[in-house]
Amino acid sequence: MSSASIQETMPVTDHGTVGSALSIRGLRRTFVRRDGQHVTAINGVDLEVAAGEVVVLLGPSGCGKTTLLRAVAGLEVPDSGQIALGERTVFDADGRKVLNVPTEKRHLSMMFQSYALWPHMTVFDNVSYPLRMRHAPRAGIRERVEAALQRADIAQLGREYPQQLSGGQQQRVALARAIVDESPIILFDEPLSNVDAKVRTELRLQLIALQQRLGYAGLYVTHDQVEAMEVGHRIAVMEAGRIAQIGAAAEIYDRPATRYVANFIGAVNELTGTLASVGPDATVDTPLGRFAVARDSLWEGLSVGDEVVVIFRPESARIVDAATTGENLVHGTVVRALYAGTHAEVFVRVADRELRVWAGTESSPQAGEQVAVSVPHERVRLVPPEGSA
Amino acid sequence: MAVVAPGAARAARRRRSGPPIRSTPFQFTLTTVSLIAAGFALYPLARVFFAFFIVDGQIDLSAFAAVFQVRDVGQIIVDTVSIVFVSGAIALVVGAVLAWLEERTDASLGPIGRALPILPFLVPPIATGIGWLLLFQPTVGIGNTFIRNFLDALGIHLESGPFNVASWWGLVLVLAFVHVPYSYMIVSSGLRNMDGAMEEQSRVSGAGVFRTLVWVTLPGIRNSLGSAALLLVFFGFADYAIPVVIGTAADIEVISMRVVQLMTASYPPEIGAAIALSMVGVAFVVSFWLLQRWLLQSRRFFAIGGRAQSAAIIRLGVWRWPARALSITFILITSFLPLVGLLIVALHGYWSGSIDPANFSLQSFEAVLVNDPFSVKSIQNSLFLAVTGATIGVIVAALAVQFAAQRSDRFRAAVDGIIKAPATVSIIIVTIGIILAFSGPPFALGGTLAILLIGYLVVYMPQATVTIESSVAQVSGELSEASTVSGASPWNTWTKVVVPLILPGLVTGWTLLFVRMVSDLTASAMLAGPGTSVIGFRILSVYNNGSYGTLAALCLFVTLVTTIVVIAMQVVTGAMNRRWRGGGTTKVARTARATPHSDHVEKELTAR
């Protein structure tokens, strides 16, 4: 799949710093299950994280995102490939002898899903631990820990034990421990998945602000697309051990490269068809008629007659009067219209399928109404059908 | 201590294929200690195996014929089997009833019920056995005399009795009493793990308390009942303390008594016959185990769900207080009455039917602790061995558990299995193995304290290993990983994160080992000698030809030591847990989830 390759140029972040914080090349990891079956958790991943950049690994459980993160931490040993942190290669299975720098010598920080706070240590001892273990100058430890606690908004909790804190406070302790050592890169393993929705939003915003202020690079694993879009400068959508697509949130959302990516982030309408023309107006014949599609969604090697999938998002389409005619218009019957606060989710039956369209709550049609669905061609994109690559 | 993070299971699964194990001095220590421990466990068992099953390099069961040379072998086997199964059945029923009352009804016993599982650790079985004998020997039993005097006042005159503990039934009942805590423990944990909704559904569907019990509760805990029965049979064949006291008085001989006799009464010991006879017991246990497995697998009624809901409490109405009174009486009588008998005889200094507070003195205690050099030496030896053994055992077990937990490969699984193997064989057979392995050349440790120490460690360390293992399993893998990511070496991670977190488990393990070693009878009976006497050995020799005052004082002394140590342990681990849990237990439950202790050994020792 062409989209699986990495971006050639390094993006310039908010800080304008350019340079690599993490570089992964050709990483592969296969597990042998108890029944003898081989499971490929990471299947040839290349990834660059620039200094000061946060890259989110997004995907369903089992897609290999956590294995990839743990491989960077050294908690998992890949079968082949290379990992470099900054200028320093920490794993290289491609040379004659496998180089594998142990986790404790990789000098990185990690925030665990369970927080992994040590219950027998106070908050202060938890946060100072990385400094003590790395033999930081004794004199500066107290100051640095207090600064980290301050940044995580828990300056007053140093003497408490983790169990005396709320979930959100525990999360902040874990955050303080991750930033205290000023590691150039922090790994996040679904750090917000264990707190309730309100605290999660609050912490997410704080995490973003903190990252902008401290400028660390991050590799961030999540299965929550909203979190991914907000936290990450770039998102790497993972599928079965590979990166299906990597790019900024808007790029992934607006220009998904595959059906998988389109479906994983947001809702989507899909129509299988054949490419009818590739001229200035690219068109596709679908069971619901001919669709004009965005010209830039065509890929190299595509020719008229090829099977393709037409996709568009519910919010790209509009409900219009049944009498309307024009480009990319299909007629159908409203099956149901669900009120969703910010919009109405309208299901329109066209021939034997249902399209999802978001309508304004005030202009929402009623069930049974005859309507037309219109979608501008620049919002209609093509992706390859499943199985082809 | 139970800190389990939500991702623990996942992390634990992942650790199988975790980072490579580097050769550090710490790693070298882990591997070396584990291999040495496995060697000490395997070698004695192998010696027994080769001595018995291998003749001229061939597997051969002809050594089994030695069993026919044992005098009265038929009678011994018949007596043993009948006593084991009848006492086991009684212990199972009583334990299950007590457990049901405690877990499911409003007749629960409160602190007394909660203390039941730790009673076997407070009072050594030998003390219980001797206590019962002092109370209910037919002619001079203190309890019997007391009852006869009472009946005399009512105009009923008896020459002896009314009870006779020195009988087949006496042996059966005392064995059953001693084993009730074990069946209680297993059945009550089965009841706790069973989803109470099943019973509620039955009640809702119109079944009464009794029909629910028969059709839902009992089938639901059949696995627990099966394990309890198996454990009772295993203990029944292995038990030596109660038979040697009561069986001897009743002139009834069981397998364990004869095996010890074959090993100790003549020189050289009749090892072949001893092993052959113990194998008869093993054969019964294995057959019972196969039968139990077949019964439990053939019909599977319930798949018991993950997190069990507690069941609604059954109101017993008018039966509540009778039920409660009966169970409290049972527990008090079986645990404290024997101690009363011991105390009276120890204070009297001799054993007669009468109780005369005017003659009470502390002379027996003085004798045991100061004046009788053999007893004093035995107590010193036992305390030294128990403290040394428990300390070495806990350290070795902690290292071996760490070694086994590093990753799951066949090598580690094998080492782990070998270290635990002695727990699956009766103490008597393991001890015979220890004698075969270490008493003769090249080690020539016969008649030294060293062979006792090795014997205790091999026999009892598996119990500490299991306790520590369950502690380690409760520590989330992410807690160690977070330490590694923070830059800590494996040694630092172990000492600063793992060990502090499993400390309550280590304390429990130490206590378990100390109690077992200080009150050991079976291994001591065969491994100790006049020059290396220990408490258990001394109790046996005083029982055979000494003063009952001294005997009672010795038994009470051991009981006092074990009770103090167990209670101190409870206080210490309780304080540790409170400190970390802090005030916010509900928050702990949500975030760093606190789970109930899964391991039965811990349950034995920690009150709920």
Side-chain angles (χ1 to χ4, degrees):
Chain A
M1 207 172 285
S2 60
S3 51
S5 67
I6 58 143
Q7 284 207 329
E8 291 302 313
T9 52
M10 208 65 71
V12 177
T13 66
D14 301 354
H15 313 277
T17 35
V18 178
S20 178
L22 168 67
S23 163
I24 299 172
R25 301 253 168 237
L27 212 66
R28 217 170 275 277
R29 173 78 172 103
T30 305
F31 292 102
V32 183
R33 283 211 315 234
R34 289 249 152 145
D35 55 12
Q37 209 179 322
H38 288 251
V39 180
T40 306
I42 313 176
N43 192 6
V45 166
D46 300 296
L47 179 69
E48 297 282 340
V49 179
E53 183 195 27
V54 175
V55 171
V56 173
L57 300 175
L58 179 67
S61 56
C63 70
K65 58 189 193 298
T66 299
T67 309
L68 182 57
L69 188 83
R70 291 171 59 84
V72 173
L75 298 168
E76 204 74 63
V77 187
D79 304 320
S80 60
Q82 295 167 311
I83 302 171
L85 292 169
E87 298 292 296
R88 177 165 159 246
T89 302
V90 292
F91 179 80
D92 187 352
D94 299 344
R96 225 195 240 162
K97 199 166 168 258
V98 176
L99 167 77
N100 186 22
V101 175
T103 301
E104 66 267 24
K105 300 200 171 120
R106 292 196 177 187
H107 205 285
L108 37 75
S109 292
M110 185 162 173
M111 243 175 119
F112 288 84
Q113 187 174 16
S114 66
Y115 321 143
L117 300 178
W118 301 296
H120 59 297
M121 298 184 197
T122 61
V123 166
F124 186 93
D125 291 342
N126 263 283
V127 175
S128 65
Y129 191 87
L131 297 176
R132 287 184 281 134
M133 289 303 122
R134 296 200 172 109
H135 307 292
R138 220 161 247 258
I141 287 183
R142 172 158 294 277
E143 213 168 287
R144 291 172 72 181
V145 171
E146 273 163 7
L149 292 174
Q150 192 88 47
R151 283 178 175 144
D153 271 350
I154 43 166
Q156 71 291 355
L157 296 181
R159 288 156 175 265
E160 308 283 324
Y161 282 92
Q163 287 76 14
Q164 295 162 328
L165 309 179
S166 71
Q169 287 171 324
Q170 293 191 29
Q171 191 55 274
R172 287 165 194 276
V173 177
L175 178 62
R177 187 176 63 186
I179 60 173
V180 71
D181 200 23
E182 287 151 30
S183 305
I185 185 161
I186 304 181
L187 309 178
F188 298 88
D189 185 6
E190 310 209 22
L192 301 182
S193 62
N194 278 330
V195 284
D196 55 56
K198 202 170 164 228
V199 178
R200 183 159 50 216
T201 316
E202 199 181 298
L203 277 167
R204 191 157 68 209
L205 294 173
Q206 195 173 3
L207 212 57
I208 294 163
L210 207 58
Q211 195 275 332
Q212 282 172 351
R213 205 163 115 206
L214 301 177
Y216 51 78
L219 190 60
Y220 192 111
V221 163
T222 183
H223 59 261
D224 179 335
Q225 44 165 311
V226 179
E227 191 173 309
M229 293 203 240
E230 289 189 12
V231 167
H233 296 113
R234 283 190 301 154
I235 298 174
V237 180
M238 292 199 61
E239 176 186 15
R242 292 165 161 274
I243 294 178
Q245 188 176 359
I246 184 165
E251 191 184 328
I252 301 269
Y253 189 80
D254 293 337
R255 298 194 292 279
T258 67
R259 286 181 67 188
Y260 173 84
V261 173
N263 277 289
F264 192 78
I265 299 198
V268 71
N269 291 299
E270 292 183 340
L271 295 167
T272 308
T274 49
L275 194 62
S277 68
V278 291
D281 303 314
T283 56
V284 177
D285 284 330
T286 76
L288 301 187
R290 177 163 291 198
F291 273 82
V293 303
R295 183 83 183 60
D296 69 337
S297 69
L298 270 60
W299 56 92
E300 229 169 277
L302 200 59
S303 54
V304 172
D306 283 352
E307 193 184 68
V308 291
V309 177
V310 166
I311 58 168
F312 60 92
R313 304 245 177 231
E315 70 271 24
S316 304
R318 281 180 303 124
I319 302 278
V320 293
D321 192 85
T324 320
T325 52
E327 175 201 70
N328 290 355
L329 206 65
V330 289
H331 293 83
T333 316
V334 173
V335 180
R336 57 189 171 276
L338 306 174
Y339 178 77
T342 52
H343 63 272
E345 180 104 39
V346 182
F347 293 80
V348 180
R349 174 164 293 279
V350 183
D352 61 341
R353 43 191 87 213
E354 266 179 27
L355 298 178
R356 291 169 76 179
V357 182
W358 287 9
T361 49
E362 278 161 24
S363 58
S364 165
Q366 301 296 309
E369 224 174 288
Q370 296 290 320
V371 294
V373 173
S374 146
V375 47
H377 76 268
E378 64 273 15
R379 309 301 294 271
V380 181
R381 302 197 62 82
L382 288 189
V383 291
E386 220 94 297
S388 71
Chain B
M1 223 302 307
V3 181
V4 170
R10 209 151 53 105
R13 236 182 299 125
R14 275 201 222 107
R15 232 182 314 171
R16 275 185 200 139
S17 55
I21 286 155
R22 285 173 297 124
S23 38
T24 57
F26 177 54
Q27 187 60 43
F28 178 77
T29 312
L30 284 184
T31 314
T32 314
V33 168
S34 303
L35 287 178
I36 291 174
F40 271 105
L42 182 62
Y43 183 50
L45 294 179
R47 286 297 296 261
V48 172
F49 181 82
F50 282 106
F52 191 66
F53 290 108
I54 308 287
V55 177
D56 298 332
Q58 300 273 310
I59 292 191
D60 187 332
L61 292 177
S62 63
F64 205 71
V67 83
F68 297 110
Q69 295 158 15
V70 175
R71 188 171 36 82
D72 300 332
V73 66
Q75 187 64 43
I76 290 176
I77 291 172
V78 169
D79 282 345
T80 311
V81 171
S82 62
I83 286 166
V84 167
F85 283 95
V86 176
S87 74
I90 295 172
L92 183 64
V93 171
V94 174
V97 169
L98 288 176
W100 182 75
L101 286 173
E102 176 71 25
E103 296 295 329
R104 287 291 191 270
T105 72
D106 59 353
S108 69
L109 308 172
I112 297 179
R114 288 198 292 275
L116 184 56
I118 64 166
L119 282 176
F121 295 94
L122 300 179
V123 187
I126 183 77
T128 311
I130 290 173
W132 281 112
L133 189 66
L134 297 178
L135 286 170
F136 294 112
Q137 192 273 350
T139 51
V140 286
I142 301 159
N144 273 333
T145 332
F146 188 79
I147 296 168
R148 281 204 302 271
N149 291 341
F150 182 73
L151 292 176
D152 263 344
L154 296 177
I156 306 166
H157 185 74
L158 293 175
E159 284 300 323
S160 71
F163 298 109
N164 180 9
V165 76
S167 64
W168 187 88
W169 272 110
L171 181 49
V172 162
L173 285 178
V174 174
L175 261 182
F177 293 165
V178 170
H179 290 160
V180 161
Y182 296 102
S183 56
Y184 170 87
M185 204 166 59
I186 293 174
V187 174
S188 63
S189 89
L191 283 169
R192 269 200 298 278
N193 291 333
M194 183 182 161
D195 192 346
M198 293 186 199
E199 284 156 295
E200 283 162 13
Q201 179 59 46
S202 161
R203 302 283 297 278
V204 169
S205 308
V209 170
F210 183 73
R211 281 197 293 166
T212 299
L213 181 64
V214 171
W215 291 105
V216 178
T217 314
L218 286 180
I221 57 165
R222 57 211 302 275
N223 282 319
S224 304
L225 291 171
S227 335
L230 179 63
L231 193 72
L232 290 170
V233 169
F234 179 80
F235 281 173
F237 279 101
D239 203 286
Y240 174 66
I242 302 293
V244 77
V245 175
I246 295 177
T248 308
D251 211 11
I252 295 171
E253 214 174 348
V254 298
I255 291 176
S256 59
M257 290 162 69
R258 179 59 71 85
V259 171
V260 173
Q261 202 209 2
L262 289 168
M263 290 299 293
T264 54
S266 61
Y267 191 86
E270 297 176 52
I271 293 179
I275 299 178
L277 188 56
S278 357
M279 288 299 164
V280 175
V282 173
F284 274 102
V285 174
V286 170
S287 321
F288 187 78
W289 173 61
L290 293 173
L291 176 75
Q292 179 235 29
R293 255 176 36 140
W294 179 72
L295 282 175
L296 291 181
Q297 275 184 354
S298 54
R299 293 169 293 157
R300 206 169 267 162
F301 288 4
F302 285 92
I304 294 172
R307 195 139 187 92
Q309 264 182 299
S310 59
I313 297 294
I314 294 166
R315 303 201 176 276
L316 293 182
V318 289
W319 293 106
R320 182 182 175 195
W321 279 103
R324 184 176 277 182
L326 209 66
S327 26
I328 289 181
T329 312
F330 173 84
I331 293 168
L332 288 180
I333 284 183
T334 56
S335 53
F336 293 112
L337 202 57
L339 295 180
V340 174
L342 288 172
L343 190 63
I344 291 169
V345 172
L347 288 174
H348 262 289
Y350 55 88
W351 182 24
S352 73
S354 61
I355 307 171
D356 186 1
N359 289 339
F360 280 1
S361 76
L362 294 175
Q363 274 179 1
S364 302
F365 292 102
E366 220 177 307
V368 166
L369 294 172
V370 186
N371 295 335
D372 169 22
F374 294 110
S375 297
V376 173
K377 191 71 202 159
S378 306
I379 289 172
Q380 283 172 351
N381 282 342
S382 271
L383 290 178
F384 167 75
L385 285 171
V387 170
T388 316
T391 309
I392 295 175
V394 155
I395 294 171
V396 171
L399 292 168
V401 167
Q402 175 71 17
F403 175 75
Q406 279 179 326
R407 62 197 320 177
S408 77
D409 52 30
R410 287 202 187 126
F411 172 59
R412 283 178 164 71
V415 170
D416 184 47
I418 290 169
I419 291 175
K420 286 183 203 148
T424 60
V425 185
S426 85
I427 295 182
I428 294 180
I429 294 175
V430 179
T431 311
I432 294 175
I434 298 282
I435 293 171
L436 283 171
F438 299 111
S439 85
F443 298 103
L445 296 176
T448 65
L449 284 180
I451 200 170
L452 276 159
L453 185 64
I454 294 171
Y456 288 170
L457 279 169
V458 172
V459 166
Y460 295 119
M461 215 181 69
Q463 299 184 27
T465 310
V466 172
T467 306
I468 294 169
E469 210 168 52
S470 82
S471 279
V472 169
Q474 284 163 356
V475 176
S476 147
E478 291 195 343
L479 291 176
S480 306
E481 288 175 356
S483 166
T484 312
V485 170
S486 300
S489 63
W491 166 251
N492 274 341
T493 296
W494 197 65
T495 52
K496 292 191 162 56
V497 172
V498 179
V499 169
L501 289 177
I502 63 169
L503 205 55
L506 297 180
V507 173
T508 307
W510 191 92
T511 311
L512 195 64
L513 288 180
F514 178 88
V515 167
R516 293 295 195 207
M517 289 176 182
V518 89
S519 58
D520 172 85
L521 198 69
T522 317
S524 308
M526 291 186 270
L527 295 176
T532 55
S533 179
V534 289
I535 294 178
F537 185 81
R538 181 69 191 149
I539 286 177
L540 287 176
S541 45
V542 175
Y543 177 72
N544 289 327
N545 42 33
S547 117
Y548 281 100
T550 313
L551 183 66
L554 262 176
C555 288
L556 283 174
F557 176 75
V558 193
T559 308
L560 191 69
V561 169
T562 53
T563 305
I564 288 173
V565 170
V566 169
I567 289 173
M569 178 276 292
Q570 297 257 27
V571 172
V572 169
T573 52
M576 288 176 187
N577 288 336
R578 263 197 307 283
R579 190 183 138 208
W580 297 336
R581 294 263 162 84
T585 29
T586 49
K587 289 164 195 161
V588 183
R590 192 168 48 120
T591 53
R593 225 162 271 166
T595 59
H597 295 272
S598 57
D599 176 61
H600 72 272
V601 183
E602 282 223 26
K603 259 184 210 138
E604 283 173 11
L605 289 169
T606 34
R608 246 171 301 149

